[in-house]
Amino acid sequence: MEELDLLKKSWKKDEHTFDQVSEAELYKMLHKKSSSIVKWIFIISVLEFLFGIMLSAALSFTKGDENNLQMIKDWGLYDYYVTSTLLIYAIVFYFIYRFYSMYQKISVIDNTKLLITSILKTRKVVKQYIAFNLTTFAIIFIIVGGFGFYYGYTEGAISKGNLNPEMPLNVMLIAVLVLIVVTAILTFVFWLIYKLIYGILLKRLNKNYEELRKIDF
């Protein structure tokens, strides 16, 4: 933002002579920077989406994924699994579309108030996107982990000759506690990653917002 700071200093030196020109130049610079930030938000979300697809495709060839899929079928949850997977992808794709639409819109805006509104809307959608991803991860991890633990316990008991195994309450409570702790830790780690990537962009976008408010008011 060095160019922006220099421009503001120049503006203050002679407010009467260059007020209108400097204000126009300042808006132009903020508009360009804001448009670039929203473009990067869109690009990163696309890369994240593609990475998720490639990771899922790679894991689908592993023995562990085959066992998990068989477990889901054995429990009669395959239809729910497919439906929820498609729904999650559809929602993520919707967010990506929103980011693209906001980039297209912010690129052609020529009004300070509209630019401020677009920046606020972008910040809101990004936060919703992050919240959705973290919440979805936590829910899926707990569900899959819970079923996996129970399935593993019962299969182990059956292999030892217990044809009707029941998980003891203390074992169940320990499993739930471990799942909650691990889920919380992993979710926090992913939140830090999102904060690092999207947080930097949102911080820059917020700085542009503050500068635009000074112009508009």
Side-chain angles (χ1 to χ4, degrees):
M1 300 292 284
E2 292 182 2
E3 298 177 13
L4 179 59
D5 293 333
L6 290 174
L7 185 56
K8 288 167 64 180
K9 290 179 181 178
S10 175
W11 188 5
K12 291 179 180 179
K13 286 181 180 179
D14 199 336
E15 296 181 352
H16 299 289
T17 306
F18 301 104
D19 183 56
Q20 295 301 321
V21 176
S22 297
E23 182 175 326
E25 289 297 321
L26 182 59
Y27 169 80
K28 183 179 180 180
M29 184 178 297
L30 291 170
H31 178 241
K32 182 179 179 181
K33 288 179 179 293
S34 299
S35 177
S36 177
I37 291 170
V38 177
K39 180 180 70 174
W40 274 108
I41 290 174
F42 165 68
I43 292 174
I44 292 173
S45 67
V46 171
L47 293 176
E48 183 184 353
F49 181 71
L50 293 176
F51 175 76
I53 292 178
M54 290 188 293
L55 182 62
S56 297
L59 291 176
S60 65
F61 295 101
T62 63
K63 185 66 176 178
D65 188 76
E66 291 180 7
N67 293 336
N68 291 334
L69 190 61
Q70 186 60 48
M71 179 189 71
I72 292 173
K73 291 180 178 179
D74 291 341
W75 282 84
L77 300 173
Y78 184 74
D79 290 340
Y80 295 101
Y81 166 76
V82 173
T83 302
S84 61
T85 300
L86 292 176
L87 180 61
I88 291 171
Y89 276 120
I91 294 175
V92 172
F93 187 78
Y94 168 75
F95 275 110
I96 293 175
Y97 171 75
R98 288 288 305 276
F99 293 146
Y100 176 75
S101 298
M102 288 186 293
Y103 166 64
Q104 290 288 91
K105 184 177 181 180
I106 205 171
S107 298
V108 297
I109 286 176
D110 59 356
N111 179 277
T112 304
K113 288 185 180 296
L114 290 177
L115 182 56
I116 290 175
T117 301
S118 294
I119 289 176
L120 291 175
K121 185 179 295 185
T122 300
R123 288 167 52 193
K124 181 180 179 180
V125 175
V126 171
K127 291 178 180 179
Q128 290 174 343
Y129 172 72
I130 294 173
F132 170 78
N133 283 345
L134 293 178
T135 302
T136 301
F137 166 76
I139 293 174
I140 292 177
F141 190 85
I142 289 177
I143 292 175
V144 174
F147 276 110
F149 189 88
Y150 185 80
Y151 185 81
Y153 180 87
T154 53
E155 284 294 304
I158 292 174
S159 65
K160 293 180 180 179
N162 186 353
L163 299 180
N164 297 298
E166 291 186 5
M167 183 179 291
L169 180 60
N170 61 330
V171 176
M172 186 180 298
L173 291 176
I174 292 173
V176 171
L177 180 61
V178 170
L179 269 176
I180 292 175
V181 172
V182 173
T183 302
I185 293 174
L186 291 177
T187 303
F188 179 71
V189 171
F190 285 128
W191 177 79
L192 288 177
I193 295 174
Y194 275 121
K195 187 174 180 62
L196 176 64
I197 298 175
Y198 290 100
I200 293 174
L201 295 174
L202 289 180
K203 186 176 180 180
R204 293 176 180 175
L205 200 60
N206 187 63
K207 189 172 183 179
N208 290 351
Y209 163 75
E210 295 296 336
E211 296 297 337
L212 284 166
R213 286 192 62 191
K214 294 177 182 177
I215 296 176
D216 191 53
F217 295 102

